[in-house]
Amino acid sequence: MSYSVKLRSVLTAGLLSVSCIAMAEAASVDDLGKSLTPVGAERAGNADGTIPEWAGGITTPPAGWTVGQPRVNPYAGDAKLFSIDGSNVDQYKDKLSEGQIALIKRYPGYRMDVYPTRRSCAYPERVYERTKANVAETKMDESGHITAGYGGFPFPIPTTGWEVIQNHRSAYRGYGVISSPAMAVMQGGDRYILNVGDQVSYTPQYDPKTTSFADTKGFRGKFIYTQTQPAASVGGVLLVHEYYNGRKESWGYIPGLRRVKQAPNAAYDNPVPGQDGLRTFDQTFMFNGDGDRYDWKLVGKKELYVPYNAWALKDQKLKLKDIVGPDYPNRDLIRYELHRVWVVEATVKPGIRNVLPRRTFYVDEDSWTIVLADLYDTKGNLWRTQENSLYVASELPACVTAADFYFDLSAGRYIADNMILGNATENYLAGASVDGERFTPSSLRQTGMR
């Protein structure tokens, strides 16, 4: 089956761009918390009411709920509006990404269940305050690296595509998080490789002790991941440092050798080891790493059916086989809603070679999170598509990932990532117990030997 690019008409692209530019020029810092939400989304709903007004989102956990207990779905009583499948996909194509259309047309039985739109995303007041302050404070150097601003979304009123992506990469998801994420690399039929580990992450810009950009010491984030499955990899440890200047460093502890080694080339379009060539390093979490190899175009806004309010994926009774199928994830678990998204196109710079020379990102306006991405090969054909299901971790509060999926349309396979299976750990409030200074190469050997 061919996945050739269906280019947008010049007229449509032009209207989106003009609309986006006009919106950016008209908006100001005084609009935050008024006509715009405190993080920069349009507060109002759309003309026909299918997207409601943002009314503050979910700001507190359910009564009596504590960390570690099963998540409570506040929208469990919502009735499905309709489904999109092979029989009616053309009817809804103006509100679907090219990747969504390709999945529906490729796989019999693939469908998207559409529910009422719930603008549930919310963030702490301190994030709102710092987001507003960042309008004046955030600075980037000529290489596109943030050099000032902290504690909130850096560009709530963006004027470039890279600013939108910087919002995604800087979104608040807690400052110290302990979790046990699972990743399945599907290998056809019922075969898969399952990787599970314990992860501790630290985001210094959101640490309450941080009072200036200088306090981050140049770190965008750090994490330590300790492998617990499969058996052959138990005890392996990975440490990653990511810097605001675009640099990324990683080290691995290898139990059999009892030594720490620095990992090379953990960036850009290099394939991630152990994932059968289905994903590059900068595909991780939809887009990760430096953007210096691309030109970034802010196309505008669009209404799309996107994965949202994914509490069904957080059911602690779920096992891996309940989530993943041979060709695609269980359609009963993925809820879609109509939301406004920012459209950003990334095109590789002249003279630069990249296995993914063009990408289109769809960024949710309420969370600044990439929810969909379409990736193209060197011939201009759609090659890969990505999907990120969100829900609200109300204890923060913040919109975070329930699971994300990476489809390779040529290989006919996919990766399911960041799943929390059964009673596995997921603590977004672990900041007080996370020591930001312990994320060092010398700590890896001790971590692996425990």
Side-chain angles (χ1 to χ4, degrees):
M1 180 177 182
S2 172
Y3 293 98
S4 298
V5 179
K6 298 178 181 177
L7 295 176
R8 287 189 187 89
S9 69
V10 174
L11 175 61
T12 301
L15 288 174
L16 281 170
S17 297
V18 170
S19 172
C20 172
I21 293 170
M23 186 185 308
E25 289 179 345
S28 73
V29 64
D30 294 331
D31 294 313
L32 293 174
K34 298 176 183 177
S35 61
L36 301 179
T37 72
V39 301
E42 295 175 59
R43 181 184 288 271
N46 62 0
D48 62 10
T50 50
I51 296 176
E53 178 182 0
W54 182 79
I58 298 174
T59 58
T60 57
W65 183 90
T66 59
V67 172
Q69 291 183 338
R71 295 280 179 182
V72 178
N73 181 358
Y75 308 130
D78 283 356
K80 181 176 66 175
L81 300 177
F82 56 89
S83 295
I84 305 172
D85 57 23
S87 68
N88 62 359
V89 63
D90 290 338
Q91 178 183 342
Y92 297 101
K93 63 182 180 181
D94 63 322
K95 288 183 169 56
L96 299 172
S97 73
E98 187 176 349
Q100 290 175 313
I101 295 170
L103 289 170
I104 289 172
K105 291 190 173 183
R106 177 179 181 123
Y107 296 113
Y110 190 99
R111 74 178 196 280
M112 296 169 51
D113 292 338
V114 178
Y115 288 80
T117 299
R118 303 287 194 169
R119 296 182 68 180
S120 54
C121 285
Y123 294 91
E125 285 299 322
R126 68 179 186 278
V127 172
Y128 293 153
E129 292 168 3
R130 286 303 311 157
T131 296
K132 191 169 187 176
N134 279 342
V135 174
E137 293 181 17
T138 300
K139 300 289 186 280
M140 281 197 298
D141 62 22
E142 59 185 15
S143 298
H145 302 139
I146 290 176
T147 59
Y150 74 97
F153 293 93
F155 301 104
I157 307 174
T159 58
T160 70
W162 182 236
E163 288 178 354
V164 171
I165 300 301
Q166 288 280 38
N167 285 339
H168 164 79
R169 299 188 62 223
S170 302
Y172 175 70
R173 302 175 184 99
Y175 75 94
V177 180
I178 297 175
S179 61
S180 298
M183 177 189 68
V185 181
M186 305 307 294
Q187 297 192 303
D190 294 326
R191 296 179 298 112
Y192 57 83
I193 299 171
L194 178 64
N195 290 275
V196 183
D198 296 326
Q199 181 167 300
V200 182
S201 62
Y202 175 65
T203 307
Q205 74 146 321
Y206 287 111
D207 190 325
K209 297 189 295 292
T210 296
T211 59
S212 70
F213 181 81
D215 289 343
T216 68
K217 300 178 182 178
F219 287 100
R220 181 185 286 273
K222 313 174 186 179
F223 74 82
I224 293 177
Y225 175 86
T226 305
Q227 194 93 23
T228 58
Q229 289 186 55
S233 301
V234 170
V237 187
L238 175 68
L239 166 67
V240 174
H241 287 175
E242 188 172 2
Y243 301 86
Y244 279 103
N245 65 7
R247 189 162 55 99
K248 183 182 253 185
E249 295 180 301
S250 57
W251 297 263
Y253 171 72
I254 305 170
L257 300 177
R258 298 178 68 84
R259 59 182 295 196
V260 175
K261 295 185 65 176
Q262 187 157 11
N265 300 320
Y268 294 115
D269 60 344
N270 294 299
V272 181
Q275 298 187 18
D276 292 354
L278 298 178
R279 185 165 64 176
T280 61
F281 276 106
D282 63 5
Q283 279 186 257
T284 304
F285 192 53
M286 306 302 281
F287 182 82
N288 178 266
D290 206 352
D292 59 340
R293 295 187 178 183
Y294 288 94
D295 290 320
W296 298 85
K297 178 182 178 182
L298 184 53
V299 178
K301 276 191 181 179
K302 188 173 184 178
E303 294 180 4
L304 286 185
Y305 293 114
V306 299
Y308 224 92
N309 290 310
W311 273 276
L313 283 167
K314 306 306 298 180
D315 189 335
Q316 291 186 336
K317 296 189 293 294
L318 293 176
K319 298 180 173 58
L320 179 65
K321 65 180 181 180
D322 299 319
I323 299 175
V324 300
D327 299 317
Y328 49 80
N330 183 348
R331 308 320 298 157
D332 294 335
L333 298 177
I334 315 294
R335 170 181 173 135
Y336 293 87
E337 300 177 1
L338 187 67
H339 285 262
R340 286 186 293 249
V341 296
W342 290 94
V343 182
V344 176
E345 290 184 351
T347 306
V348 72
K349 291 180 177 179
I352 301 294
R353 296 189 64 182
N354 194 295
V355 298
L356 297 165
R358 184 162 74 88
R359 310 182 190 203
T360 302
F361 297 97
Y362 302 94
V363 185
D364 169 46
E365 68 167 347
D366 286 331
S367 65
W368 293 110
T369 300
I370 299 172
V371 285
L372 298 170
D374 291 339
L375 288 61
Y376 301 85
D377 64 20
T378 55
K379 296 180 179 179
N381 297 325
L382 180 62
W383 179 15
R384 294 174 176 173
T385 189
Q386 304 171 184
E387 183 177 277
N388 184 16
S389 293
L390 304 181
Y391 77 104
V392 179
S394 54
E395 63 270 30
L396 287 172
C399 261
V400 299
T401 294
D404 42 339
F405 305 99
Y406 301 79
F407 301 90
D408 187 311
L409 298 168
S410 296
R413 295 166 55 199
Y414 72 102
I415 293 171
D417 201 2
N418 288 309
M419 299 173 289
I420 303 296
L421 301 176
N423 293 312
T425 300
E426 183 184 46
N427 185 357
Y428 286 100
L429 296 178
S433 64
V434 173
D435 179 5
E437 301 301 320
R438 75 174 266 249
F439 294 81
T440 63
S442 61
S443 70
L444 289 195
R445 185 176 291 105
Q446 295 176 345
T447 301
M449 292 173 63
R450 287 175 187 159

